[in-house]
Amino acid sequence: MKVLMFGWEFPPHISGGLGTACYGLTQGLSKVKDLEIVFVVPKAHGDEDQSKMQLVGANGVNIKQVQSHIEKFKSQHTYLEVDSHLVPYNDPDEYYTFSSQDLYGKNKFFKVDKEGKLEFSGKYGANLIEEIYKYAYVASAISSDYEHDVIHAHDWLCYPAGIAAKEVSGKPLVIHVHATDFDRSGGNVNPKVFEIEKMGMDAADRIITVSNLTRNIVIEKYGQDPSKVITVYNAVEPVSVEEKLAIKKGVKDKIVTFLGRITMQKGPEYFVEAAYQVLKRTPNVRFVMAGSGDMLEKMVERAAQLGIADKFHFTGFLKGDDVFKMFLLSDVYVMPSVSEPFGISPLEAMQSNVPVIISKQSGVSEILTHAVKVDYWDIDAMADAIYGIISYNSLSEVFKKEGKEEVDNLKWANAAIHVHEVYTAAINSLV
């Protein structure tokens, strides 16, 4: 079986959980017998791990036309003209707003170099919508150039590319819903983003969701047939903690960590308020908020207002080994998300022998047993859980031991088996 897979990012060039999940899944699928993957991203950098699949950058694809008029393509895909206040699968460094405008005028051309290649940044910048549009356009060429049995598109940024590829090859389309705009916007859904998401779901032969929480949203909010929506939980790649145990804290205080985008979806304000409650009971603890986002400045101000700034640390965005180091320095990890389709970070923390507290409003809470689960808004319960774990070593040790054993059994290879079954079902649906 040959899979043509469209993603937006791939390690080491990632800005959130999407790239991490794509990497893990491709690693797991590489263990499936007789399965080959061509993984496409807008921009390939050349240093990606291609040991398990072939990576293709849309920026390196010759579209065979030095300057291509896209009016016909545009007329078939007008849903790609996105306006209003748009937050994509957030780049952690910035919060982007797009003003209402017609991005593609009557005589708009894609500019290409002398080799007939389009330029892509591969990021979430101000030209995001143009890049989505170009990505879908190049996907048509890629679909013709690479033999495949099934198409797999990750998240809404790639749905148009998946649709375009399907229109050319006629092969079944599987879309992977890592999040919906209902999660990102807190219910204040951007109608244009919703339209792209729904169009991707309507065009898909099968839909993979990362949790039953997300599955229910897809069925209820987007009107999808339950029979074609399948939950496949995320997992984690095995790591060797022992290799990095030389890291030392440098302080005697316990460390409680929040790690993620500092946006409304992630509930950072509840973490700050819970920290205030804990510090009223014990001074021997420090709180770390690792990440960046549109609410960062507000969180810094709130910590100062509460008089806990001396016990509260903001690290900025962390990635790669820095994330792992942060977990190794932590005594508790908290994920107070308001709406979390899944949430890989608690699994990564548990791998590092860190007890975790997660919101009941997260997909990962559906599969974890050895984690404290609280409602994101219940600051008192969150504070009690934090205080209990940092105060009672026996409780902490139980969560460390049992949690590590539990998460070690959540392997991408197992998730890949389920994804392969979805591929087979999608292919058979067209027979």
Side-chain angles (χ1 to χ4, degrees):
M1 181 184 294
K2 295 183 178 180
V3 183
L4 180 60
M5 190 176 292
F6 292 94
W8 196 261
E9 56 182 44
F10 197 83
H13 306 281
I14 63 172
S15 59
L18 179 60
T20 301
C22 287
Y23 177 77
L25 180 59
T26 57
Q27 296 296 297
L29 286 170
S30 70
K31 297 178 175 62
V32 177
K33 186 178 179 181
D34 297 327
L35 188 145
E36 299 175 14
I37 300 172
V38 172
F39 192 96
V40 187
V41 291
K43 182 176 182 178
H45 297 266
D47 57 350
E48 296 87 351
D49 179 6
Q50 298 190 49
S51 60
K52 307 298 184 183
M53 49 79 199
Q54 179 182 355
L55 188 132
V56 174
N59 62 310
V61 174
N62 188 314
I63 58 173
K64 303 179 180 67
Q65 295 161 302
V66 174
Q67 193 172 44
S68 304
H69 195 287
I70 63 163
E71 195 64 28
K72 180 180 178 181
F73 186 79
K74 171 180 178 286
S75 68
Q76 296 171 341
H77 301 276
T78 54
Y79 57 88
L80 286 171
E81 292 181 11
V82 180
D83 56 14
S84 189
H85 298 287
L86 172 63
V87 185
Y89 192 91
N90 297 50
D91 181 288
D93 293 319
E94 296 193 43
Y95 176 90
Y96 293 104
T97 299
F98 298 90
S99 300
S100 178
Q101 59 183 313
D102 184 354
L103 293 172
Y104 300 97
K106 186 175 181 180
N107 298 310
K108 179 69 177 182
F109 287 78
F110 283 149
K111 291 187 177 180
V112 298
D113 62 21
K114 61 183 179 180
E115 296 179 349
K117 297 176 182 178
L118 296 170
E119 291 186 2
F120 289 85
S121 72
K123 298 182 179 179
Y124 301 100
N127 65 337
L128 174 65
I129 304 309
E130 183 177 352
E131 295 227 331
I132 293 174
Y133 205 100
K134 290 193 295 185
Y135 195 30
Y137 186 62
V138 177
S140 300
I142 292 174
S143 184
S144 298
D145 292 342
Y146 291 88
E147 182 182 349
H148 57 282
D149 301 296
V150 64
I151 302 159
H152 188 158
H154 289 277
D155 231 30
W156 74 276
L157 299 168
C158 302
Y159 296 166
I163 294 171
K166 180 180 180 179
E167 288 175 350
V168 170
S169 70
K171 300 299 183 180
L173 171 64
V174 175
I175 69 165
H176 207 134
V177 184
H178 295 266
T180 71
D181 206 46
F182 284 91
D183 302 299
R184 292 183 292 265
S185 66
N188 186 24
V189 177
N190 182 300
K192 292 297 184 180
V193 176
F194 175 86
E195 185 179 353
I196 294 175
E197 291 178 324
K198 189 173 190 313
M199 191 162 292
M201 295 176 193
D202 289 344
D205 297 282
R206 289 294 186 274
I207 300 171
I208 297 174
T209 58
V210 294
S211 64
N212 287 328
L213 175 71
T214 304
R215 181 176 185 269
N216 291 336
I217 291 174
V218 167
I219 293 170
E220 296 171 9
K221 303 294 188 182
Y222 295 84
Q224 298 303 305
D225 181 351
S227 66
K228 79 171 189 179
V229 188
I230 303 96
T231 294
V232 178
Y233 292 109
N234 287 334
V236 283
E237 280 292 287
V239 297
S240 176
V241 176
E242 289 74 16
E243 294 178 3
K244 303 181 181 181
L245 287 181
I247 298 172
K248 302 297 181 183
K249 280 203 300 190
V251 295
K252 293 182 179 180
D253 292 344
K254 299 289 186 178
I255 294 178
V256 182
T257 300
F258 168 108
L259 191 150
R261 300 192 306 276
I262 305 177
T263 63
M264 175 278 301
Q265 180 190 351
K266 302 297 183 179
E269 66 269 41
Y270 303 103
F271 180 73
V272 175
E273 299 299 331
Y276 176 63
Q277 296 294 335
V278 173
L279 285 166
K280 288 196 294 188
R281 299 164 72 173
T282 175
N284 302 318
V285 56
R286 294 172 185 262
F287 292 83
V288 175
M289 183 165 282
S292 58
D294 61 291
M295 290 183 65
L296 175 58
E297 185 175 342
K298 186 182 295 184
M299 294 303 97
V300 173
E301 291 175 353
R302 183 56 179 159
Q305 289 172 354
L306 293 170
I308 59 174
D310 61 327
K311 290 288 187 175
F312 218 101
H313 306 270
F314 296 89
T315 69
F317 176 58
L318 302 180
K319 64 180 179 180
D321 280 349
D322 288 337
V323 172
F324 197 73
K325 290 175 183 176
M326 190 67 248
F327 285 139
L328 292 179
L329 292 172
S330 302
D331 296 285
V332 185
Y333 175 68
V334 183
M335 188 185 76
S337 296
V338 175
S339 179
E340 186 70 53
F342 186 77
I344 289 180
S345 57
L347 305 185
E348 295 173 330
M350 292 166 72
Q351 277 187 318
S352 304
N353 293 310
V354 181
V356 301
I357 301 168
I358 58 178
S359 73
K360 294 178 181 178
Q361 292 73 27
S362 63
V364 73
S365 69
E366 297 173 14
I367 61 171
L368 287 181
T369 301
H370 298 97
V372 180
K373 303 172 188 178
V374 300
D375 289 306
Y376 71 86
W377 45 260
D378 196 339
I379 295 167
D380 291 335
M382 196 182 304
D384 287 344
I386 294 171
Y387 181 78
I389 293 174
I390 64 174
S391 300
Y392 301 99
N393 289 334
S394 58
L395 181 62
S396 176
E397 290 303 316
V398 168
F399 277 112
K400 286 181 183 179
K401 180 178 181 297
E402 301 295 338
K404 181 71 164 62
E405 291 180 2
E406 180 177 17
V407 78
D408 282 347
N409 291 316
L410 299 175
K411 297 180 171 64
W412 277 113
N414 296 331
I417 292 172
H418 296 302
V419 170
H420 182 248
E421 292 171 351
V422 175
Y423 291 160
T424 301
I427 293 170
N428 290 338
S429 71
L430 298 187
V431 175

